């Protein structure tokens, strides 16, 4: 089973930037879609951004124009570049993968992002 490990979270002031990484233990070319989700305290987990194996991307309205998702197949890693961060972006960010061959859904352990006002 492929393992996903997120990194890059931390504490940043409003208006700042962070880049999250999601490193897979195996090839990510087997994933037809990779996603970033986030969960704030007391709230449901929500989809933030998705990227297909072909590079098509989708974003939640709340992050459009500020966040950029990308993937590097050679490094087996997905990224989330987060700019113009707001306090409401504070959450634990998770990556998720969907395996095109096994249909298995895998999650990382999450990385905390805290944006201070």
């Amino acid at each position: 089973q492929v393992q996903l490990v997120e990194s890059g979270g931390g504490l940043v002031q409003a208006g700042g930037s962070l880049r999250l990484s999601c490193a897979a233990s195996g090839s990510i070319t087997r994933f037809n879609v990779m996603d970033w989700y986030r969960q704030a305290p007391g709230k449901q987990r929500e989809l933030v951004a998705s990227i297909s194996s072909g590079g098509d991307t989708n974003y939640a309205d709340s992050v459009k124009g500020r966040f950029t998702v990308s993937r590097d197949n050679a490094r087996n890693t997905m990224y989330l570049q987060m700019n113009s961060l707001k306090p409401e972006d504070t959450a634990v960010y998770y990556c998720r993968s969907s395996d095109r061959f096994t249909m298995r859904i895998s999650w990382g352990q999450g990385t905390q992002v805290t944006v201070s006002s």
Side-chain angles (χ1 to χ4, degrees):
Q1 181 176 349
V2 173
Q3 303 296 318
L4 302 175
V5 179
E6 301 97 334
S7 62
L11 174 64
V12 64
Q13 289 188 331
S17 298
L18 284 174
R19 188 176 81 154
L20 305 184
S21 299
C22 172
S25 59
S27 174
I28 66 171
T29 58
R30 64 184 298 119
F31 301 147
N32 54 350
V33 178
M34 296 186 75
D35 312 287
W36 285 101
Y37 281 76
R38 68 186 180 187
Q39 187 166 21
K43 295 188 176 181
Q44 289 189 329
R45 192 171 296 189
E46 63 173 353
L47 179 63
V48 175
S50 297
I51 185 166
S52 72
S53 57
D56 295 326
T57 58
N58 284 289
Y59 299 93
D61 288 343
S62 59
V63 307
K64 279 182 182 176
R66 301 188 298 122
F67 290 11
T68 303
V69 60
S70 62
R71 58 194 286 172
D72 185 338
N73 291 343
R75 296 179 182 272
N76 295 321
T77 301
M78 176 179 63
Y79 302 97
L80 184 67
Q81 177 67 44
M82 306 186 295
N83 299 328
S84 303
L85 283 162
K86 304 175 181 180
E88 52 263 44
D89 294 318
T90 295
V92 178
Y93 284 70
Y94 300 89
C95 63
R96 190 187 86 150
S97 64
S98 173
D99 193 305
R100 73 176 78 203
F101 301 113
T102 66
M103 307 304 173
R104 181 185 297 274
I105 302 295
S106 298
W107 291 88
Q109 84 290 348
T111 186
Q112 176 71 48
V113 171
T114 303
V115 184
S116 63
S117 57

